[in-house]
Amino acid sequence: MKQAMAVSGVQKVHAVLGGFHLAPHNEDYVRQTIKGLVDLDVDHIVPMHCTGEPFYEILKAELPKKVIRSYTGTKLVFGA
């Protein structure tokens, strides 16, 4: 994300959405990914189904105000 921010000139990432494909990885790797998002000071993190439950559970415990659980049909509106 840092490279994408540099190329685009974006200074602040407000939300990261997607399937992070972390289910097969160990807890240390999952925590490194979360630390990267924390270091970027992302406002909202929306893990989707292929992210894996360990990521969601750790994130929910450590950053409950930043995580948004999404399901099929979830509609997200930012900056309304």
Side-chain angles (χ1 to χ4, degrees):
M1 282 202 315
K2 289 179 184 179
Q3 185 176 8
M5 291 171 67
V7 170
S8 67
V10 170
Q11 300 292 317
K12 171 74 175 157
V13 175
H14 293 286
V16 175
L17 298 83
F20 303 124
H21 297 273
L22 295 171
H25 296 285
N26 64 37
E27 184 175 330
D28 288 339
Y29 188 85
V30 171
R31 288 186 181 279
Q32 283 181 316
T33 302
I34 291 170
K35 182 182 179 324
L37 295 168
V38 168
D39 290 349
L40 287 174
D41 193 28
V42 174
D43 295 331
H44 304 286
I45 304 166
V46 188
M48 301 202 179
H49 77 280
C50 54
T51 298
E53 287 302 308
F55 178 90
Y56 177 75
E57 292 300 324
I58 293 167
L59 195 62
K60 183 175 73 170
E62 294 186 10
L63 300 169
K65 293 183 180 180
K66 292 192 176 202
V67 66
I68 299 172
R69 186 71 184 236
S70 69
Y71 301 93
T72 301
T74 297
K75 181 179 179 180
L76 303 168
V77 178
F78 298 103

